[in-house]
Amino acid sequence: MTDQPTMGAFAGREHRLPVRVYYEDTDFTGLVYHANYLRYFERGRSDFLRAAGIGHAELLEAEPPLAFVVAEMTVKFLKPARIDDALMVRTRYEAIKGPRLIIEQAITRGEETLCTADVTAACIHLDGRPRRPTAGLVDRIRPWLALGG
């Protein structure tokens, strides 16, 4: 047994991160509060990178230091999640276009899709200016990009 939290795993191009709904995730109706889906999506994107061998601390220590920010996100809430639900955050990095990373995400419960997100993240300098990801960073993500991505 390991004391390490799971970072999920790849299934083909898709990264899958299991998430359990806790009481703190819900609102007064007992449903997951809408903003918490964004937290689950963030964990999915971060753990995708971690599983691909890219840590946020490593990016900040690089020369020049880099970070990712969400530039745009379209979220569709389809069905509610409830306390104790076992969810799966599914993340696909589709393409890298200049400093932008195009990402598709979904949160599922079994075969049901509860929420989806189309995300555009940007690679930036720490001063906030966009910057193309380094060749090494692109090489680590490339195996999971869509063809032509």
Side-chain angles (χ1 to χ4, degrees), residues 2-86:
T2 178
D3 291 336
Q4 295 296 318
T6 181
M7 71 172 120
F10 286 102
R13 287 186 44 243
E14 181 177 82
H15 179 266
R16 296 179 182 174
L17 177 68
V19 174
R20 175 74 62 186
V21 175
Y22 294 103
Y23 182 77
E24 68 187 15
D25 298 324
T26 63
D27 61 17
F28 72 95
T29 67
L31 304 177
V32 170
Y33 181 66
H34 72 279
N36 287 325
Y37 291 94
L38 304 183
R39 293 176 189 267
Y40 300 154
F41 285 137
E42 175 66 29
R43 292 177 199 167
R45 291 189 306 276
S46 292
D47 280 343
F48 177 108
L49 292 173
R50 186 174 288 112
I54 303 163
H56 288 291
E58 170 192 348
L59 293 173
L60 291 172
E61 294 168 359
E63 191 52 50
L66 301 173
F68 292 109
V69 295
V70 172
E72 184 177 336
M73 180 184 280
T74 301
V75 179
K76 292 182 183 173
F77 300 96
L78 305 170
K79 296 180 180 181
R82 298 176 182 349
I83 187 82
D84 290 333
D85 278 354

Side-chain angles (χ1 to χ4, degrees), residues 108-124:
T108 59
R109 178 181 53 221
E111 297 300 314
E112 292 181 290
T113 300
L114 307 182
C115 188
T116 63
D118 293 320
V119 182
T120 301
C123 185
I124 62 166

Side-chain angles (χ1 to χ4, degrees), residues 131-142:
R131 180 188 185 341
R132 289 180 180 269
T134 64
L137 186 59
V138 172
D139 286 344
R140 287 195 237 168
I141 296 173
R142 184 174 285 121

